[in-house]
Amino acid sequence: MDWSPFAAVLFDLDGVITPTADVHRRAWTDMFNGFLAGLDGQQPFTDDDYVKFVDGKPRADGVRSFLSSRSIDLPDGDADDPAAAHTVAGLGTRKNDRFNEILQRDGVDAYPGSIALLDALKPAGLRLAIVSSSRNARAVLSAAGLLDRFEVIVDGNVGAEAHLDGKPAPDYFLHAAAALNAAPEHAVVLEDAISGVQAGAAGTFGLVIGVDRGAGHNALVNAGAHQVVSDLVELLPAGDADPTQMQGTP
């Protein structure tokens, strides 16, 4: 890929840099199925539910979106509600607790292709940011040994403090681009979630790349991706390491 027209690269984290999208999916599934088991007439939470209602969104938005799909009404509660609270915030806390349990137990390794691309972009002078709805982004980056690879990290904590609208709104990406002094038309967005691709498209960024870790090529294109890859190794600058030697994910 020719990176010369661009000044900045804005990476989603879970599912783009690290396979923690799978950890999030497991945590959401465990949390929602435990909650739904106490209600009459509710079917289990599915992978399709995760993709449609939760993936890529700030935690509370994901809870509300899924509950609305099942016509379940809960009060929002307060941000510091405990996991036992029967509120949107309480369910979010329950999910976060489960996520951290899995992360601490299993750890996390970055995708090899993502490391290869980061290694190639740094000497090219591109400015790099992480843009994630998760409040755990720094913990994940630290666990993967990548915390020092990015100039800017816009995560769920930054979003809450700055009152940013979550994906699919473009606010998180625009905030990161501004922090890097990069105009949107000179920045690239890399996203695996449909809501994240929609956010990149809404921000009129110069290039929106969908990373297909399961959402589907057509779904990402329909959400606004200009290009879809299955692994970031496909985006190495010309002349870098042979992509055929970099295939595979942890």
Side-chain angles (χ1 to χ4, degrees):
M1 175 171 163
D2 179 12
W3 289 91
S4 61
F6 305 106
V9 189
L10 313 179
F11 294 86
D12 178 44
L13 175 60
D14 303 311
V16 173
I17 299 295
T18 60
T20 36
D22 292 336
V23 181
H24 281 288
R25 186 191 303 263
R26 288 160 60 192
W28 281 109
T29 299
D30 288 354
M31 181 278 288
F32 273 130
N33 282 339
F35 169 71
L36 293 170
L39 303 178
D40 292 333
Q42 289 290 339
Q43 296 298 311
F45 181 83
T46 67
D47 286 350
D48 191 50
D49 289 325
Y50 177 78
V51 171
K52 285 183 177 178
F53 306 115
V54 173
D55 190 20
K57 297 179 181 178
R59 193 184 309 154
D61 289 350
V63 174
R64 291 189 198 97
S65 181
F66 173 69
L67 293 181
S68 177
S69 77
R70 297 293 184 93
S71 300
I72 300 170
D73 187 28
L74 288 183
D76 277 353
D78 298 318
D80 58 354
D81 277 0
H86 207 63
T87 62
V88 168
L91 292 183
T93 300
R94 199 180 307 178
K95 178 266 170 181
N96 193 54
D97 289 349
R98 181 62 179 140
F99 175 86
N100 284 315
E101 289 171 6
I102 298 171
L103 183 65
Q104 291 172 16
R105 184 190 69 211
D106 299 341
V108 63
D109 292 315
Y111 291 106
S114 301
I115 295 293
L117 183 61
L118 291 176
D119 288 344
L121 293 182
K122 184 175 181 179
L126 287 154
R127 306 186 71 182
L128 310 181
I130 285 290
V131 183
S132 172
S133 298
S134 173
R135 291 176 179 259
N136 300 301
R138 286 183 177 273
V140 171
L141 287 168
S142 181
L146 297 174
L147 191 58
D148 63 348
R149 292 288 197 118
F150 302 92
E151 290 183 62
V152 168
I153 299 172
V154 178
D155 61 7
N157 299 301
V158 173
E161 292 168 5
H163 305 289
L164 303 177
D165 287 336
K167 304 170 186 177
D171 299 32
Y172 274 60
F173 285 118
L174 292 171
H175 190 87
L180 293 176
N181 295 314
E185 60 267 26
H186 297 143
V188 179
V189 168
L190 290 98
E191 261 284 359
D192 71 310
I194 291 171
S195 62
V197 169
Q198 290 171 332
T204 62
F205 286 90
L207 182 63
V208 180
I209 300 176
V211 184
D212 185 8
R213 308 286 194 192
H217 181 282
N218 290 342
L220 293 169
V221 169
N222 290 339
H226 300 117
Q227 179 179 346
V228 176
V229 298
S230 60
D231 191 278
L232 300 198
V233 75
E234 299 171 45
L235 302 172
L236 285 174
D240 272 64
D242 182 358
T244 63
Q245 303 302 311
M246 293 300 304
Q247 296 303 316
T249 59

PDB file of all heavy atoms in Angstrom, residues 12-32:
ATOM      1  N   ASP A  12      -8.516   1.267  15.516  1.00  0.00           N
ATOM      2  CA  ASP A  12      -9.295   0.639  16.574  1.00  0.00           C
ATOM      3  C   ASP A  12      -8.377  -0.395  17.228  1.00  0.00           C
ATOM      4  O   ASP A  12      -7.385  -0.827  16.635  1.00  0.00           O
ATOM      5  CB  ASP A  12     -10.542  -0.031  15.989  1.00  0.00           C
ATOM      6  CG  ASP A  12     -11.373  -0.735  17.039  1.00  0.00           C
ATOM      7  OD1 ASP A  12     -11.578  -0.163  18.125  1.00  0.00           O
ATOM      8  OD2 ASP A  12     -11.795  -1.883  16.781  1.00  0.00           O
ATOM      9  N   LEU A  13      -8.691  -0.794  18.456  1.00  0.00           N
ATOM     10  CA  LEU A  13      -7.815  -1.720  19.173  1.00  0.00           C
ATOM     11  C   LEU A  13      -8.305  -3.164  19.091  1.00  0.00           C
ATOM     12  O   LEU A  13      -7.646  -4.030  18.509  1.00  0.00           O
ATOM     13  CB  LEU A  13      -7.709  -1.287  20.640  1.00  0.00           C
ATOM     14  CG  LEU A  13      -6.917  -2.207  21.565  1.00  0.00           C
ATOM     15  CD1 LEU A  13      -5.475  -2.358  21.094  1.00  0.00           C
ATOM     16  CD2 LEU A  13      -6.968  -1.684  23.003  1.00  0.00           C
ATOM     17  N   ASP A  14      -9.460  -3.428  19.671  1.00  0.00           N
ATOM     18  CA  ASP A  14      -9.957  -4.795  19.802  1.00  0.00           C
ATOM     19  C   ASP A  14     -10.390  -5.339  18.445  1.00  0.00           C
ATOM     20  O   ASP A  14     -11.319  -4.825  17.826  1.00  0.00           O
ATOM     21  CB  ASP A  14     -11.140  -4.831  20.776  1.00  0.00           C
ATOM     22  CG  ASP A  14     -10.770  -4.280  22.144  1.00  0.00           C
ATOM     23  OD1 ASP A  14      -9.734  -4.691  22.683  1.00  0.00           O
ATOM     24  OD2 ASP A  14     -11.514  -3.429  22.668  1.00  0.00           O
ATOM     25  N   GLY A  15      -9.676  -6.359  17.966  1.00  0.00           N
ATOM     26  CA  GLY A  15      -9.984  -6.937  16.665  1.00  0.00           C
ATOM     27  C   GLY A  15      -9.152  -6.366  15.537  1.00  0.00           C
ATOM     28  O   GLY A  15      -9.147  -6.920  14.437  1.00  0.00           O
ATOM     29  N   VAL A  16      -8.433  -5.274  15.797  1.00  0.00           N
ATOM     30  CA  VAL A  16      -7.552  -4.684  14.788  1.00  0.00           C
ATOM     31  C   VAL A  16      -6.091  -4.865  15.184  1.00  0.00           C
ATOM     32  O   VAL A  16      -5.288  -5.385  14.420  1.00  0.00           O
ATOM     33  CB  VAL A  16      -7.887  -3.195  14.565  1.00  0.00           C
ATOM     34  CG1 VAL A  16      -6.858  -2.532  13.646  1.00  0.00           C
ATOM     35  CG2 VAL A  16      -9.284  -3.046  13.969  1.00  0.00           C
ATOM     36  N   ILE A  17      -5.738  -4.453  16.387  1.00  0.00           N
ATOM     37  CA  ILE A  17      -4.379  -4.633  16.897  1.00  0.00           C
ATOM     38  C   ILE A  17      -4.261  -5.925  17.708  1.00  0.00           C
ATOM     39  O   ILE A  17      -3.291  -6.671  17.568  1.00  0.00           O
ATOM     40  CB  ILE A  17      -3.952  -3.432  17.758  1.00  0.00           C
ATOM     41  CG1 ILE A  17      -3.965  -2.136  16.937  1.00  0.00           C
ATOM     42  CG2 ILE A  17      -2.565  -3.675  18.363  1.00  0.00           C
ATOM     43  CD1 ILE A  17      -2.962  -2.098  15.816  1.00  0.00           C
ATOM     44  N   THR A  18      -5.237  -6.179  18.541  1.00  0.00           N
ATOM     45  CA  THR A  18      -5.212  -7.374  19.398  1.00  0.00           C
ATOM     46  C   THR A  18      -6.508  -8.166  19.216  1.00  0.00           C
ATOM     47  O   THR A  18      -7.546  -7.604  18.853  1.00  0.00           O
ATOM     48  CB  THR A  18      -5.081  -6.984  20.883  1.00  0.00           C
ATOM     49  OG1 THR A  18      -6.197  -6.161  21.260  1.00  0.00           O
ATOM     50  CG2 THR A  18      -3.780  -6.241  21.149  1.00  0.00           C
ATOM     51  N   PRO A  19      -6.462  -9.477  19.489  1.00  0.00           N
ATOM     52  CA  PRO A  19      -7.669 -10.296  19.351  1.00  0.00           C
ATOM     53  C   PRO A  19      -8.602 -10.196  20.547  1.00  0.00           C
ATOM     54  O   PRO A  19      -9.367 -11.115  20.818  1.00  0.00           O
ATOM     55  CB  PRO A  19      -7.100 -11.716  19.200  1.00  0.00           C
ATOM     56  CG  PRO A  19      -5.823 -11.684  19.939  1.00  0.00           C
ATOM     57  CD  PRO A  19      -5.264 -10.294  19.752  1.00  0.00           C
ATOM     58  N   THR A  20      -8.562  -9.067  21.232  1.00  0.00           N
ATOM     59  CA  THR A  20      -9.407  -8.890  22.414  1.00  0.00           C
ATOM     60  C   THR A  20     -10.873  -8.698  22.073  1.00  0.00           C
ATOM     61  O   THR A  20     -11.717  -8.699  22.972  1.00  0.00           O
ATOM     62  CB  THR A  20      -8.908  -7.711  23.266  1.00  0.00           C
ATOM     63  OG1 THR A  20      -8.421  -6.672  22.401  1.00  0.00           O
ATOM     64  CG2 THR A  20      -7.793  -8.158  24.197  1.00  0.00           C
ATOM     65  N   ALA A  21     -11.193  -8.515  20.782  1.00  0.00           N
ATOM     66  CA  ALA A  21     -12.616  -8.502  20.428  1.00  0.00           C
ATOM     67  C   ALA A  21     -13.260  -9.816  20.853  1.00  0.00           C
ATOM     68  O   ALA A  21     -14.421  -9.842  21.284  1.00  0.00           O
ATOM     69  CB  ALA A  21     -12.790  -8.279  18.926  1.00  0.00           C
ATOM     70  N   ASP A  22     -12.508 -10.913  20.763  1.00  0.00           N
ATOM     71  CA  ASP A  22     -13.032 -12.206  21.198  1.00  0.00           C
ATOM     72  C   ASP A  22     -13.252 -12.239  22.706  1.00  0.00           C
ATOM     73  O   ASP A  22     -14.212 -12.835  23.193  1.00  0.00           O
ATOM     74  CB  ASP A  22     -12.072 -13.333  20.794  1.00  0.00           C
ATOM     75  CG  ASP A  22     -12.009 -13.537  19.289  1.00  0.00           C
ATOM     76  OD1 ASP A  22     -12.984 -13.177  18.610  1.00  0.00           O
ATOM     77  OD2 ASP A  22     -10.992 -14.043  18.802  1.00  0.00           O
ATOM     78  N   VAL A  23     -12.352 -11.584  23.450  1.00  0.00           N
ATOM     79  CA  VAL A  23     -12.510 -11.514  24.908  1.00  0.00           C
ATOM     80  C   VAL A  23     -13.745 -10.688  25.253  1.00  0.00           C
ATOM     81  O   VAL A  23     -14.538 -11.059  26.125  1.00  0.00           O
ATOM     82  CB  VAL A  23     -11.253 -10.919  25.569  1.00  0.00           C
ATOM     83  CG1 VAL A  23     -11.413 -10.873  27.089  1.00  0.00           C
ATOM     84  CG2 VAL A  23     -10.015 -11.724  25.200  1.00  0.00           C
ATOM     85  N   HIS A  24     -13.915  -9.556  24.568  1.00  0.00           N
ATOM     86  CA  HIS A  24     -15.109  -8.736  24.789  1.00  0.00           C
ATOM     87  C   HIS A  24     -16.375  -9.532  24.464  1.00  0.00           C
ATOM     88  O   HIS A  24     -17.359  -9.486  25.216  1.00  0.00           O
ATOM     89  CB  HIS A  24     -15.059  -7.471  23.933  1.00  0.00           C
ATOM     90  CG  HIS A  24     -14.176  -6.400  24.475  1.00  0.00           C
ATOM     91  ND1 HIS A  24     -14.503  -5.660  25.592  1.00  0.00           N
ATOM     92  CD2 HIS A  24     -12.972  -5.947  24.063  1.00  0.00           C
ATOM     93  CE1 HIS A  24     -13.546  -4.782  25.834  1.00  0.00           C
ATOM     94  NE2 HIS A  24     -12.601  -4.935  24.923  1.00  0.00           N
ATOM     95  N   ARG A  25     -16.355 -10.240  23.357  1.00  0.00           N
ATOM     96  CA  ARG A  25     -17.528 -11.020  22.960  1.00  0.00           C
ATOM     97  C   ARG A  25     -17.878 -12.055  24.042  1.00  0.00           C
ATOM     98  O   ARG A  25     -19.043 -12.216  24.402  1.00  0.00           O
ATOM     99  CB  ARG A  25     -17.258 -11.719  21.625  1.00  0.00           C
ATOM    100  CG  ARG A  25     -18.471 -12.449  21.038  1.00  0.00           C
ATOM    101  CD  ARG A  25     -18.049 -13.321  19.861  1.00  0.00           C
ATOM    102  NE  ARG A  25     -17.392 -12.559  18.828  1.00  0.00           N
ATOM    103  CZ  ARG A  25     -17.993 -12.090  17.738  1.00  0.00           C
ATOM    104  NH1 ARG A  25     -19.280 -12.316  17.551  1.00  0.00           N
ATOM    105  NH2 ARG A  25     -17.318 -11.419  16.821  1.00  0.00           N
ATOM    106  N   ARG A  26     -16.879 -12.733  24.552  1.00  0.00           N
ATOM    107  CA  ARG A  26     -17.112 -13.734  25.596  1.00  0.00           C
ATOM    108  C   ARG A  26     -17.648 -13.086  26.871  1.00  0.00           C
ATOM    109  O   ARG A  26     -18.559 -13.616  27.522  1.00  0.00           O
ATOM    110  CB  ARG A  26     -15.812 -14.487  25.892  1.00  0.00           C
ATOM    111  CG  ARG A  26     -15.398 -15.446  24.794  1.00  0.00           C
ATOM    112  CD  ARG A  26     -13.930 -15.807  24.870  1.00  0.00           C
ATOM    113  NE  ARG A  26     -13.578 -16.438  26.136  1.00  0.00           N
ATOM    114  CZ  ARG A  26     -12.322 -16.630  26.533  1.00  0.00           C
ATOM    115  NH1 ARG A  26     -11.318 -16.237  25.752  1.00  0.00           N
ATOM    116  NH2 ARG A  26     -12.087 -17.228  27.675  1.00  0.00           N
ATOM    117  N   ALA A  27     -17.081 -11.932  27.216  1.00  0.00           N
ATOM    118  CA  ALA A  27     -17.531 -11.244  28.429  1.00  0.00           C
ATOM    119  C   ALA A  27     -18.973 -10.756  28.294  1.00  0.00           C
ATOM    120  O   ALA A  27     -19.785 -10.888  29.223  1.00  0.00           O
ATOM    121  CB  ALA A  27     -16.601 -10.072  28.737  1.00  0.00           C
ATOM    122  N   TRP A  28     -19.303 -10.183  27.133  1.00  0.00           N
ATOM    123  CA  TRP A  28     -20.683  -9.752  26.889  1.00  0.00           C
ATOM    124  C   TRP A  28     -21.642 -10.944  26.915  1.00  0.00           C
ATOM    125  O   TRP A  28     -22.730 -10.863  27.493  1.00  0.00           O
ATOM    126  CB  TRP A  28     -20.794  -9.051  25.531  1.00  0.00           C
ATOM    127  CG  TRP A  28     -20.326  -7.629  25.491  1.00  0.00           C
ATOM    128  CD1 TRP A  28     -19.205  -7.150  24.886  1.00  0.00           C
ATOM    129  CD2 TRP A  28     -20.980  -6.486  26.071  1.00  0.00           C
ATOM    130  NE1 TRP A  28     -19.112  -5.795  25.049  1.00  0.00           N
ATOM    131  CE2 TRP A  28     -20.195  -5.357  25.771  1.00  0.00           C
ATOM    132  CE3 TRP A  28     -22.142  -6.321  26.810  1.00  0.00           C
ATOM    133  CZ2 TRP A  28     -20.534  -4.074  26.185  1.00  0.00           C
ATOM    134  CZ3 TRP A  28     -22.487  -5.044  27.222  1.00  0.00           C
ATOM    135  CH2 TRP A  28     -21.703  -3.944  26.916  1.00  0.00           C
ATOM    136  N   THR A  29     -21.245 -12.028  26.294  1.00  0.00           N
ATOM    137  CA  THR A  29     -22.107 -13.209  26.234  1.00  0.00           C
ATOM    138  C   THR A  29     -22.362 -13.769  27.626  1.00  0.00           C
ATOM    139  O   THR A  29     -23.509 -14.073  27.989  1.00  0.00           O
ATOM    140  CB  THR A  29     -21.473 -14.295  25.339  1.00  0.00           C
ATOM    141  OG1 THR A  29     -21.318 -13.758  24.013  1.00  0.00           O
ATOM    142  CG2 THR A  29     -22.350 -15.537  25.273  1.00  0.00           C
ATOM    143  N   ASP A  30     -21.305 -13.892  28.421  1.00  0.00           N
ATOM    144  CA  ASP A  30     -21.461 -14.400  29.787  1.00  0.00           C
ATOM    145  C   ASP A  30     -22.373 -13.493  30.601  1.00  0.00           C
ATOM    146  O   ASP A  30     -23.267 -13.958  31.325  1.00  0.00           O
ATOM    147  CB  ASP A  30     -20.104 -14.511  30.479  1.00  0.00           C
ATOM    148  CG  ASP A  30     -19.251 -15.648  29.938  1.00  0.00           C
ATOM    149  OD1 ASP A  30     -19.757 -16.425  29.102  1.00  0.00           O
ATOM    150  OD2 ASP A  30     -18.085 -15.747  30.353  1.00  0.00           O
ATOM    151  N   MET A  31     -22.141 -12.184  30.487  1.00  0.00           N
ATOM    152  CA  MET A  31     -22.923 -11.236  31.283  1.00  0.00           C
ATOM    153  C   MET A  31     -24.391 -11.255  30.885  1.00  0.00           C
ATOM    154  O   MET A  31     -25.281 -11.405  31.731  1.00  0.00           O
ATOM    155  CB  MET A  31     -22.351  -9.823  31.138  1.00  0.00           C
ATOM    156  CG  MET A  31     -23.085  -8.755  31.952  1.00  0.00           C
ATOM    157  SD  MET A  31     -24.588  -8.095  31.175  1.00  0.00           S
ATOM    158  CE  MET A  31     -23.894  -7.107  29.861  1.00  0.00           C
ATOM    159  N   PHE A  32     -24.662 -11.102  29.569  1.00  0.00           N
ATOM    160  CA  PHE A  32     -26.054 -11.028  29.140  1.00  0.00           C
ATOM    161  C   PHE A  32     -26.794 -12.343  29.373  1.00  0.00           C
ATOM    162  O   PHE A  32     -27.971 -12.335  29.760  1.00  0.00           O
ATOM    163  CB  PHE A  32     -26.146 -10.620  27.674  1.00  0.00           C
ATOM    164  CG  PHE A  32     -26.149  -9.137  27.448  1.00  0.00           C
ATOM    165  CD1 PHE A  32     -25.289  -8.561  26.520  1.00  0.00           C
ATOM    166  CD2 PHE A  32     -27.007  -8.306  28.148  1.00  0.00           C
ATOM    167  CE1 PHE A  32     -25.291  -7.195  26.310  1.00  0.00           C
ATOM    168  CE2 PHE A  32     -27.021  -6.934  27.948  1.00  0.00           C
ATOM    169  CZ  PHE A  32     -26.158  -6.375  27.029  1.00  0.00           C
TER     170      PHE A  32
END
